[in-house]
Amino acid sequence: MSASTPASRAVFLSYASQDAEAARRICDSLRASGIEVWFDADGGLEHGDEWDQKIRRQIKECVFFMPLISANTQSRHEGYFRIEWELAAERAMGFAHGVPFILPIVIDDTREPDALVPERFRKVQWTRLPGGVVPPDVQARFLKLWSHRTGAISHEAARIENVGAALDDARGRGQAAPRQRRPSLVWAAVALVTLLIGAGWWFSQRAPMSPTAVPPASVTKAEEKKFTPVPSLAAPAASEKSLVVLPLENLSPDPENAFFTDGMHAEMIAALSRVAGLKVISRPSSLRFKGTTATLAEIAQQVGVTNVITGSVRRAAGRVKIQLELRRARDEALLLTKTYDRELSDVIAIQTDVAADIAHALEIRESRGSSEWARYQTKNPEAYDLYLKAVQRYLTPWGQGKRALDEAEGCVRDFQRVLELDPNFAAAASFLSRAHNEAFGRTPDAVAAVEHAQLARKWAEACARLMPGGGGDGALSLYYSNVEYRPARGVEFAENLIRALPNDATGNYYTATALRRQGREAASLEALERALDIDPLNATYHRDHVYSLVALRRRPEAESAIERYLQVTGKNADMARLRTWRFALSGEVPTESNSLPAAWFFRLRRFEDCVRACDAARANTEGWDLVALTLLRSKALARLGRAEESKQGALEALEAVQGVKLVADSRVFAPRLRASAIAITGRSDEALDVNRRGAADYAALGNEVLLFDVDRAEILADAKRTTECVELLKKLLGAPSGLTVPMLKVDPIWDNVRDDPKFKALLADPKNSAPL
């Protein structure tokens, strides 16, 4: 930063002169993300300055002190940087416990215990940035830390107002995955993302959806260039007590036993995650390395661990043989090699022994958690076999529509058979509850839906009873979030799970899901980041992480999170969501493709194309998606001056709402879509009344109702009730509603209020674009 940079907002870089190049890289990376840096090599010390006096003043006033530690600093027992370090250490003594000030950076392989640094430096977390290269996730982490301390963010240095108070309030109110195939209202069917218009795109992501339910959107050439993933991931410095278990090799004579090998991999991770003091990467992330050619060091760096387990499984003639190796990743030093050869009936004991042996090898004293875990497993080999096969089926993508419902009901039958063989098998009870949860969300039979809901609760409660102490509460959290829509209870049971199993990422993810239902986006973001620390390559977690950052309008962090998401997903990235994120962040609308979903044609004011796209899509659409398409078509017809056709379409949508038999999500979509349809017919007062009653019913369950408020703002805009619309938009821009100024500037839904001075003033007010 130039000499005019206020020291009270700047980061002070301190380094040996031999490390100037690495310091420059770090400086440039921090500045690129909007962080102010005081860097003496580019004008921080002007001609004639009293050098020592200015250095001391900068250290006294800077917001963070960043010492660069290296072999060069190790070799120099004297140097002015050592005076700087001592001055910083002295200043740090005046900070309250937990307030960050010194941020040590290691730029080579210098070991922390050997480093010649003031003792104060050892009391804080160190970051390793080889060569001074700052990866996007680390850049985002520094930006977040700096922003919260200075009240500034992004290149405009916009003010963050009341961040501490908001986070404290979120934490205070909060005192009350296995893959989650049906996420909460946070993510609606992608079909609705592409159908609902205006700000409704955001809340169309806030309803249950199978991650595999919608085919990927086509990619335009511009998007393909923009969203090309960067080649590598870099994680923070890892603890010595951390590991990843790579997928095990199946050496069984019968290839059909592959399910058993996969099951052993999952169960081994589960057993190790119970060892207190050991960080174990979750299975979804470890599976990303199946068949990899990456070195152990590269794998460990990507997931932020120090050690790696590899091995094989051979099952034959009633016996199982498991061979494992534990290696330190950086130099592949062998820490443990062992073979477990037992009867099939002893597989649970093998997993317990593995956990104990690994704990011993890593000098972890406490491994009783894995023995405790064994109490909740089955001792019935037949039940265990059926369970492993059922889990594999559950975790396999299901497709769409009736096929997905058939798979959900098939999983219900599979886990029922397991529990018939062993009624006390807690993990099977959890999966059976979740399978009923899935079937509830997909069946159009109202009677069957109620039955699935009742059984989902029954088996969730059974799991909690069979695995007391909170370890079995995950299914209950999912049930209350997805079936009853009572997020406070969802948070309660998810936090029970976290306390019992702090190394299980799903507990934090379920917490994030329930918190978002309550409108507590900042607290949800914190829970997601905890989940990502345990499961760093989980695409679903990364997707929701981006969502939270976009909702909170933290643009630089969101851009970095999008890059990370693309690195994790590659060609499987969800283009529909990428488009909506870009739309929220910058108002960007894709223009290069004629095969876009209908909603984008509406935003481009290509209303004829919008009508045609709706007509083409409606033939293969049903349920709430069909209603939304019909409404979008009516809105486009109105823009074309075809008022009678538009009104007729709205009446068809009203009739269609009554015809949707899905019990799941009816509390949300039925009143919202009904209100929108009534508004198109010109009955705005009636539409607003339907909207308010739906919001009140939903709020009574403890859910935030910003999605209803956004719909109401659109109804007011259509009715040209400008003053009421602008007042409501003012409220929505002050909350994580999904509305952003870039969206309001370009979306046709706001055309009726666009020229009003109050609307223009709303867009021009800096606080409406500042991070939340």
Side-chain angles (χ1 to χ4, degrees), residues 157-181:
R159 293 289 298 173
I160 295 182
E161 299 177 359
N162 303 320
V163 171
L167 291 176
D168 290 343
D169 178 60
R171 293 189 188 99
R173 287 184 286 131
Q175 295 167 358
R179 181 169 110 195
Q180 181 184 359
R181 190 180 293 272

PDB file of all heavy atoms in Angstrom, residues 157-181:
ATOM      1  N   ALA A 157     -14.347  -0.882  -0.416  1.00  0.00           N
ATOM      2  CA  ALA A 157     -14.146  -0.696   1.026  1.00  0.00           C
ATOM      3  C   ALA A 157     -15.443  -0.268   1.700  1.00  0.00           C
ATOM      4  O   ALA A 157     -15.484   0.633   2.519  1.00  0.00           O
ATOM      5  CB  ALA A 157     -13.040   0.335   1.292  1.00  0.00           C
ATOM      6  N   ALA A 158     -16.546  -0.935   1.335  1.00  0.00           N
ATOM      7  CA  ALA A 158     -17.848  -0.603   1.908  1.00  0.00           C
ATOM      8  C   ALA A 158     -17.905  -1.005   3.367  1.00  0.00           C
ATOM      9  O   ALA A 158     -17.287  -1.971   3.780  1.00  0.00           O
ATOM     10  CB  ALA A 158     -18.951  -1.332   1.129  1.00  0.00           C
ATOM     11  N   ARG A 159     -18.670  -0.271   4.148  1.00  0.00           N
ATOM     12  CA  ARG A 159     -18.751  -0.522   5.580  1.00  0.00           C
ATOM     13  C   ARG A 159     -19.551  -1.776   5.888  1.00  0.00           C
ATOM     14  O   ARG A 159     -20.585  -2.038   5.295  1.00  0.00           O
ATOM     15  CB  ARG A 159     -19.442   0.653   6.284  1.00  0.00           C
ATOM     16  CG  ARG A 159     -18.646   1.946   6.249  1.00  0.00           C
ATOM     17  CD  ARG A 159     -17.431   1.910   7.130  1.00  0.00           C
ATOM     18  NE  ARG A 159     -17.777   1.728   8.531  1.00  0.00           N
ATOM     19  CZ  ARG A 159     -16.855   1.540   9.468  1.00  0.00           C
ATOM     20  NH1 ARG A 159     -15.586   1.484   9.183  1.00  0.00           N
ATOM     21  NH2 ARG A 159     -17.226   1.391  10.721  1.00  0.00           N
ATOM     22  N   ILE A 160     -19.055  -2.596   6.839  1.00  0.00           N
ATOM     23  CA  ILE A 160     -19.844  -3.696   7.388  1.00  0.00           C
ATOM     24  C   ILE A 160     -20.419  -3.198   8.705  1.00  0.00           C
ATOM     25  O   ILE A 160     -19.675  -2.884   9.626  1.00  0.00           O
ATOM     26  CB  ILE A 160     -18.979  -4.940   7.645  1.00  0.00           C
ATOM     27  CG1 ILE A 160     -18.471  -5.475   6.328  1.00  0.00           C
ATOM     28  CG2 ILE A 160     -19.749  -5.992   8.411  1.00  0.00           C
ATOM     29  CD1 ILE A 160     -17.643  -6.725   6.497  1.00  0.00           C
ATOM     30  N   GLU A 161     -21.731  -3.102   8.788  1.00  0.00           N
ATOM     31  CA  GLU A 161     -22.354  -2.535   9.971  1.00  0.00           C
ATOM     32  C   GLU A 161     -22.812  -3.620  10.927  1.00  0.00           C
ATOM     33  O   GLU A 161     -23.504  -4.546  10.549  1.00  0.00           O
ATOM     34  CB  GLU A 161     -23.556  -1.669   9.567  1.00  0.00           C
ATOM     35  CG  GLU A 161     -23.156  -0.502   8.664  1.00  0.00           C
ATOM     36  CD  GLU A 161     -24.357   0.297   8.211  1.00  0.00           C
ATOM     37  OE1 GLU A 161     -25.485  -0.073   8.578  1.00  0.00           O
ATOM     38  OE2 GLU A 161     -24.158   1.285   7.500  1.00  0.00           O
ATOM     39  N   ASN A 162     -22.408  -3.480  12.180  1.00  0.00           N
ATOM     40  CA  ASN A 162     -22.911  -4.341  13.257  1.00  0.00           C
ATOM     41  C   ASN A 162     -22.640  -5.822  13.027  1.00  0.00           C
ATOM     42  O   ASN A 162     -23.457  -6.671  13.372  1.00  0.00           O
ATOM     43  CB  ASN A 162     -24.418  -4.137  13.448  1.00  0.00           C
ATOM     44  CG  ASN A 162     -24.751  -2.691  13.748  1.00  0.00           C
ATOM     45  OD1 ASN A 162     -24.029  -2.042  14.501  1.00  0.00           O
ATOM     46  ND2 ASN A 162     -25.814  -2.183  13.163  1.00  0.00           N
ATOM     47  N   VAL A 163     -21.489  -6.172  12.432  1.00  0.00           N
ATOM     48  CA  VAL A 163     -21.201  -7.586  12.189  1.00  0.00           C
ATOM     49  C   VAL A 163     -21.121  -8.358  13.494  1.00  0.00           C
ATOM     50  O   VAL A 163     -21.729  -9.415  13.651  1.00  0.00           O
ATOM     51  CB  VAL A 163     -19.869  -7.733  11.412  1.00  0.00           C
ATOM     52  CG1 VAL A 163     -19.452  -9.189  11.354  1.00  0.00           C
ATOM     53  CG2 VAL A 163     -20.029  -7.193  10.011  1.00  0.00           C
ATOM     54  N   GLY A 164     -20.382  -7.824  14.444  1.00  0.00           N
ATOM     55  CA  GLY A 164     -20.244  -8.532  15.718  1.00  0.00           C
ATOM     56  C   GLY A 164     -21.570  -8.731  16.401  1.00  0.00           C
ATOM     57  O   GLY A 164     -21.878  -9.814  16.893  1.00  0.00           O
ATOM     58  N   ALA A 165     -22.409  -7.679  16.401  1.00  0.00           N
ATOM     59  CA  ALA A 165     -23.707  -7.796  17.052  1.00  0.00           C
ATOM     60  C   ALA A 165     -24.580  -8.819  16.356  1.00  0.00           C
ATOM     61  O   ALA A 165     -25.283  -9.604  16.987  1.00  0.00           O
ATOM     62  CB  ALA A 165     -24.405  -6.434  17.058  1.00  0.00           C
ATOM     63  N   ALA A 166     -24.524  -8.832  15.018  1.00  0.00           N
ATOM     64  CA  ALA A 166     -25.350  -9.783  14.284  1.00  0.00           C
ATOM     65  C   ALA A 166     -24.923 -11.213  14.563  1.00  0.00           C
ATOM     66  O   ALA A 166     -25.757 -12.099  14.749  1.00  0.00           O
ATOM     67  CB  ALA A 166     -25.249  -9.492  12.778  1.00  0.00           C
ATOM     68  N   LEU A 167     -23.601 -11.442  14.618  1.00  0.00           N
ATOM     69  CA  LEU A 167     -23.127 -12.791  14.893  1.00  0.00           C
ATOM     70  C   LEU A 167     -23.458 -13.210  16.318  1.00  0.00           C
ATOM     71  O   LEU A 167     -23.875 -14.339  16.571  1.00  0.00           O
ATOM     72  CB  LEU A 167     -21.615 -12.866  14.666  1.00  0.00           C
ATOM     73  CG  LEU A 167     -21.169 -12.747  13.206  1.00  0.00           C
ATOM     74  CD1 LEU A 167     -19.649 -12.739  13.134  1.00  0.00           C
ATOM     75  CD2 LEU A 167     -21.719 -13.884  12.382  1.00  0.00           C
ATOM     76  N   ASP A 168     -23.298 -12.280  17.271  1.00  0.00           N
ATOM     77  CA  ASP A 168     -23.647 -12.606  18.652  1.00  0.00           C
ATOM     78  C   ASP A 168     -25.118 -12.935  18.779  1.00  0.00           C
ATOM     79  O   ASP A 168     -25.518 -13.869  19.476  1.00  0.00           O
ATOM     80  CB  ASP A 168     -23.309 -11.425  19.578  1.00  0.00           C
ATOM     81  CG  ASP A 168     -21.805 -11.245  19.722  1.00  0.00           C
ATOM     82  OD1 ASP A 168     -21.072 -12.197  19.379  1.00  0.00           O
ATOM     83  OD2 ASP A 168     -21.381 -10.165  20.163  1.00  0.00           O
ATOM     84  N   ASP A 169     -25.945 -12.152  18.069  1.00  0.00           N
ATOM     85  CA  ASP A 169     -27.390 -12.398  18.121  1.00  0.00           C
ATOM     86  C   ASP A 169     -27.718 -13.750  17.512  1.00  0.00           C
ATOM     87  O   ASP A 169     -28.528 -14.508  18.038  1.00  0.00           O
ATOM     88  CB  ASP A 169     -28.130 -11.298  17.352  1.00  0.00           C
ATOM     89  CG  ASP A 169     -29.623 -11.510  17.335  1.00  0.00           C
ATOM     90  OD1 ASP A 169     -30.229 -11.552  18.418  1.00  0.00           O
ATOM     91  OD2 ASP A 169     -30.187 -11.652  16.242  1.00  0.00           O
ATOM     92  N   ALA A 170     -27.039 -14.079  16.392  1.00  0.00           N
ATOM     93  CA  ALA A 170     -27.297 -15.374  15.754  1.00  0.00           C
ATOM     94  C   ALA A 170     -26.903 -16.512  16.664  1.00  0.00           C
ATOM     95  O   ALA A 170     -27.619 -17.504  16.792  1.00  0.00           O
ATOM     96  CB  ALA A 170     -26.523 -15.468  14.434  1.00  0.00           C
ATOM     97  N   ARG A 171     -25.743 -16.370  17.355  1.00  0.00           N
ATOM     98  CA  ARG A 171     -25.314 -17.434  18.258  1.00  0.00           C
ATOM     99  C   ARG A 171     -26.260 -17.561  19.442  1.00  0.00           C
ATOM    100  O   ARG A 171     -26.608 -18.649  19.871  1.00  0.00           O
ATOM    101  CB  ARG A 171     -23.896 -17.146  18.757  1.00  0.00           C
ATOM    102  CG  ARG A 171     -22.849 -17.222  17.660  1.00  0.00           C
ATOM    103  CD  ARG A 171     -21.458 -17.160  18.267  1.00  0.00           C
ATOM    104  NE  ARG A 171     -20.468 -17.033  17.223  1.00  0.00           N
ATOM    105  CZ  ARG A 171     -19.918 -15.883  16.871  1.00  0.00           C
ATOM    106  NH1 ARG A 171     -20.262 -14.779  17.463  1.00  0.00           N
ATOM    107  NH2 ARG A 171     -19.006 -15.830  15.913  1.00  0.00           N
ATOM    108  N   GLY A 172     -26.692 -16.415  19.975  1.00  0.00           N
ATOM    109  CA  GLY A 172     -27.569 -16.450  21.136  1.00  0.00           C
ATOM    110  C   GLY A 172     -28.889 -17.122  20.821  1.00  0.00           C
ATOM    111  O   GLY A 172     -29.392 -17.943  21.575  1.00  0.00           O
ATOM    112  N   ARG A 173     -29.476 -16.780  19.654  1.00  0.00           N
ATOM    113  CA  ARG A 173     -30.759 -17.383  19.294  1.00  0.00           C
ATOM    114  C   ARG A 173     -30.606 -18.837  18.912  1.00  0.00           C
ATOM    115  O   ARG A 173     -31.580 -19.570  18.859  1.00  0.00           O
ATOM    116  CB  ARG A 173     -31.378 -16.611  18.125  1.00  0.00           C
ATOM    117  CG  ARG A 173     -31.919 -15.255  18.541  1.00  0.00           C
ATOM    118  CD  ARG A 173     -32.595 -14.575  17.376  1.00  0.00           C
ATOM    119  NE  ARG A 173     -31.620 -14.087  16.413  1.00  0.00           N
ATOM    120  CZ  ARG A 173     -31.689 -14.309  15.115  1.00  0.00           C
ATOM    121  NH1 ARG A 173     -32.642 -15.030  14.608  1.00  0.00           N
ATOM    122  NH2 ARG A 173     -30.774 -13.814  14.299  1.00  0.00           N
ATOM    123  N   GLY A 174     -29.361 -19.267  18.648  1.00  0.00           N
ATOM    124  CA  GLY A 174     -29.170 -20.651  18.242  1.00  0.00           C
ATOM    125  C   GLY A 174     -29.171 -21.610  19.402  1.00  0.00           C
ATOM    126  O   GLY A 174     -29.095 -22.804  19.203  1.00  0.00           O
ATOM    127  N   GLN A 175     -29.280 -21.166  20.640  1.00  0.00           N
ATOM    128  CA  GLN A 175     -29.262 -22.099  21.762  1.00  0.00           C
ATOM    129  C   GLN A 175     -30.650 -22.694  21.895  1.00  0.00           C
ATOM    130  O   GLN A 175     -31.418 -22.370  22.741  1.00  0.00           O
ATOM    131  CB  GLN A 175     -28.815 -21.362  23.031  1.00  0.00           C
ATOM    132  CG  GLN A 175     -27.377 -20.884  22.917  1.00  0.00           C
ATOM    133  CD  GLN A 175     -27.027 -19.902  24.006  1.00  0.00           C
ATOM    134  OE1 GLN A 175     -27.849 -19.543  24.821  1.00  0.00           O
ATOM    135  NE2 GLN A 175     -25.788 -19.468  24.028  1.00  0.00           N
ATOM    136  N   ALA A 176     -31.177 -23.122  21.513  1.00  0.00           N
ATOM    137  CA  ALA A 176     -32.502 -23.683  21.615  1.00  0.00           C
ATOM    138  C   ALA A 176     -32.467 -25.191  21.873  1.00  0.00           C
ATOM    139  O   ALA A 176     -31.615 -25.720  22.311  1.00  0.00           O
ATOM    140  CB  ALA A 176     -33.330 -23.543  20.361  1.00  0.00           C
ATOM    141  N   ALA A 177     -22.929 -36.458   4.846  1.00  0.00           N
ATOM    142  CA  ALA A 177     -23.950 -37.118   5.391  1.00  0.00           C
ATOM    143  C   ALA A 177     -23.921 -38.328   4.613  1.00  0.00           C
ATOM    144  O   ALA A 177     -23.802 -38.288   3.493  1.00  0.00           O
ATOM    145  CB  ALA A 177     -25.161 -36.332   5.035  1.00  0.00           C
ATOM    146  N   PRO A 178     -23.533 -38.929   5.978  1.00  0.00           N
ATOM    147  CA  PRO A 178     -24.382 -39.457   4.956  1.00  0.00           C
ATOM    148  C   PRO A 178     -25.004 -38.309   4.212  1.00  0.00           C
ATOM    149  O   PRO A 178     -25.317 -37.282   4.788  1.00  0.00           O
ATOM    150  CB  PRO A 178     -25.390 -40.295   5.709  1.00  0.00           C
ATOM    151  CG  PRO A 178     -24.675 -40.651   6.988  1.00  0.00           C
ATOM    152  CD  PRO A 178     -23.734 -39.536   7.239  1.00  0.00           C
ATOM    153  N   ARG A 179     -25.238 -38.452   2.970  1.00  0.00           N
ATOM    154  CA  ARG A 179     -25.709 -37.383   2.121  1.00  0.00           C
ATOM    155  C   ARG A 179     -27.148 -37.040   2.425  1.00  0.00           C
ATOM    156  O   ARG A 179     -27.979 -37.912   2.551  1.00  0.00           O
ATOM    157  CB  ARG A 179     -25.570 -37.817   0.658  1.00  0.00           C
ATOM    158  CG  ARG A 179     -26.013 -36.791  -0.343  1.00  0.00           C
ATOM    159  CD  ARG A 179     -25.581 -37.245  -1.716  1.00  0.00           C
ATOM    160  NE  ARG A 179     -26.691 -37.641  -2.539  1.00  0.00           N
ATOM    161  CZ  ARG A 179     -26.569 -38.329  -3.645  1.00  0.00           C
ATOM    162  NH1 ARG A 179     -25.397 -38.752  -4.020  1.00  0.00           N
ATOM    163  NH2 ARG A 179     -27.600 -38.636  -4.382  1.00  0.00           N
ATOM    164  N   GLN A 180     -27.464 -35.758   2.494  1.00  0.00           N
ATOM    165  CA  GLN A 180     -28.845 -35.338   2.671  1.00  0.00           C
ATOM    166  C   GLN A 180     -29.437 -35.197   1.284  1.00  0.00           C
ATOM    167  O   GLN A 180     -29.244 -34.215   0.594  1.00  0.00           O
ATOM    168  CB  GLN A 180     -28.907 -34.001   3.415  1.00  0.00           C
ATOM    169  CG  GLN A 180     -30.324 -33.537   3.646  1.00  0.00           C
ATOM    170  CD  GLN A 180     -30.362 -32.179   4.278  1.00  0.00           C
ATOM    171  OE1 GLN A 180     -29.336 -31.604   4.551  1.00  0.00           O
ATOM    172  NE2 GLN A 180     -31.536 -31.663   4.502  1.00  0.00           N
ATOM    173  N   ARG A 181     -30.199 -36.197   0.874  1.00  0.00           N
ATOM    174  CA  ARG A 181     -30.688 -36.205  -0.494  1.00  0.00           C
ATOM    175  C   ARG A 181     -31.785 -35.181  -0.704  1.00  0.00           C
ATOM    176  O   ARG A 181     -31.975 -34.670  -1.787  1.00  0.00           O
ATOM    177  CB  ARG A 181     -31.204 -37.600  -0.845  1.00  0.00           C
ATOM    178  CG  ARG A 181     -31.513 -37.784  -2.309  1.00  0.00           C
ATOM    179  CD  ARG A 181     -32.025 -39.181  -2.569  1.00  0.00           C
ATOM    180  NE  ARG A 181     -31.002 -40.176  -2.356  1.00  0.00           N
ATOM    181  CZ  ARG A 181     -30.160 -40.578  -3.284  1.00  0.00           C
ATOM    182  NH1 ARG A 181     -30.201 -40.055  -4.475  1.00  0.00           N
ATOM    183  NH2 ARG A 181     -29.263 -41.472  -3.019  1.00  0.00           N
TER     184      ARG A 181
END
